[in-house]
Structure formats: structure tokens, C-alpha cells
Amino acid sequence: MWNWVSENSGVVQAALSAVTALVWMVYLHIIVSGLRRQRRTEILVHLGGARDLSARILVSNLGFEPIYVLEIMLSVHTTKGERVSSVADRTEIAHEQHKTPREATLQGPMKSGESVDIGSVTDLLDRARHNSFENIDLEDITQVEVTVAALTAADSRVAAATRRFLLKHNEDTICLVPKNLYAKQIRSRWRRRKIEQRLRQLL
């Protein structure tokens, strides 16, 4: 065997070099994947409490890094089309009731693992009406979509997540049915640009 190794030392050396390179490539892939996972945003939008219009909408930051909530948008879908409004400002609370300026808006930093109650579905619809939705009738709404746009120190582009809820109209009640199991993370360049365009329109 040793004779064969000595006679084919060039082949053996090349094979060992290839195996070593493969091992280093695997380690590099693991390191890069870990770094990407640490820098990747993960924003949750979920329901709390009841499943009617009094349900609370909770936003959580499950990413490893803190985020800055730049805007919260509500898309209301009716038989006549879709309308989008900002719902980041707490218009349902009078200015004199705010103890600090931070209580007037949902914009601001959010640490890793932190969660914030952005209001009930009724609150969000009232804020949308306060801005531009005064002519929308509740009975005409088929679904609503909550989009959270944020900034991170790790990326110069907007990070965002969105979740859609169907409104099922019964005789006396309206039931909320999530269309997805969890919030959809917006990571593609095209969809990020689309979010940025909506943000400019809301300025």
C-alpha cells in the first residue's frame, strides 16, 4: 500500500487538497448562513384576543437585530377596489392624553424579541377613516391587509412584512380569518421597491 501511495503521491495529494477545499467550503457556507440569519429581519403580525373586529393586532420583532418601525399601512379591499392608508399614528387617543410624544405614534425602535399592540381592527379602520377612508362602508370590506415597514442597521433598504385577513360577514357579527399562517416577509428587490413607492405616496 505504501508503495502504491508513494508511486501515486501526486494523485493522493490532489485528492487530499480537494477534500480539504470541500471541508472549508462547507464551513464557509455554515458561517455565511449564520451571518445571514442574524442579519435577516423577521417581523410577525398576528391576532390576539377575539376573532371579530375587537381583535388586537400584535407586531413582534423576531429578528436578532433591533428594527425601527417606519410605517404601518392598512390596505382595505372592497368590491370597488383597494385603498391604502397609514395607521401608525394613534388618532383614537386625544393629544392631551399622551404622556410622552412616543405614545402618539407607533413609529420607533423595537428591540429583538419585543412585541407591540398596534390596536384593534376597529382602531385601525378608524385611523384609516380619519386619514382618507371616510366613504368606506364596513359592509363592503372583504379583506384587510396590515403591512409593517421598518429599517435596520444591517440593510439600507426597507424591510417589511405583511399579513392579510378575510372579513366574513355573518348576520350580526364579522369574523376575521387570517389568510396565511404567519406574516409574509417581503425580501425581494421588486416588492421592497413597491413598498418604498407606497411610502412616498403616503408622505
Side-chain angles (χ1 to χ4, degrees):
M1 179 178 177
W2 291 109
N3 291 334
W4 181 88
V5 171
S6 60
E7 291 174 0
N8 299 275
S9 58
V11 176
V12 173
Q13 201 168 22
L16 288 174
S17 299
V19 171
T20 303
L22 181 62
V23 170
W24 277 110
M25 286 177 64
V26 171
Y27 275 125
L28 181 62
H29 176 72
I30 293 173
I31 292 171
V32 171
S33 298
L35 290 174
R36 283 181 177 175
R37 188 168 60 250
Q38 288 181 359
R39 295 178 61 184
R40 181 177 293 176
T41 57
E42 195 72 30
I43 303 170
L44 288 190
V45 180
H46 48 110
L47 287 176
R51 287 297 179 268
D52 54 19
L53 294 184
S54 66
R56 311 300 297 185
I57 303 292
L58 306 173
V59 174
S60 304
N61 176 23
L62 290 190
F64 285 96
E65 294 192 357
I67 62 174
Y68 185 94
V69 177
L70 188 64
E71 185 62 90
I72 299 175
M73 294 176 285
L74 182 71
S75 301
V76 177
H77 299 257
T78 67
T79 54
K80 299 178 182 178
E82 176 190 4
R83 296 175 70 177
V84 182
S85 175
S86 169
V87 291
D89 294 334
R90 297 178 183 268
T91 54
E92 73 276 10
I93 304 175
H95 291 290
E96 56 271 13
Q97 295 179 352
H98 298 150
K99 296 179 181 179
T100 63
R102 183 71 175 85
E103 294 180 356
T105 181
L106 295 163
Q107 296 173 335
M110 184 183 294
K111 297 178 183 178
S112 175
E114 196 173 41
S115 181
V116 63
D117 180 352
I118 67 171
S120 67
V121 178
T122 300
D123 291 335
L124 300 186
L125 289 171
D126 287 343
R127 292 176 203 164
R129 288 193 184 96
H130 182 270
N131 290 332
S132 58
F133 286 11
E134 64 277 356
N135 296 326
I136 287 185
D137 189 0
L138 189 61
E139 296 298 324
D140 295 333
I141 301 175
T142 58
Q143 53 187 325
V144 295
E145 184 177 22
V146 178
T147 302
V148 180
L151 293 174
T152 66
D155 197 345
S156 59
R157 288 189 172 273
V158 169
T162 183
R163 195 171 186 195
R164 187 171 294 191
F165 304 93
L166 301 177
L167 270 69
K168 289 195 173 181
H169 298 266
N170 298 324
E171 292 182 0
D172 299 323
T173 59
I174 297 177
C175 183
L176 281 173
V177 180
K179 202 169 182 181
N180 316 43
L181 287 175
Y182 44 84
K184 185 176 182 180
Q185 306 301 310
I186 298 175
R187 306 196 194 278
S188 68
R189 290 185 180 180
W190 180 79
R191 294 207 66 189
R192 284 186 178 190
R193 272 198 212 111
K194 195 172 179 181
I195 292 294
E196 289 174 356
Q197 287 174 0
R198 281 192 170 182
L199 292 176
R200 291 191 191 97
Q201 291 172 359
L202 293 174
L203 290 176

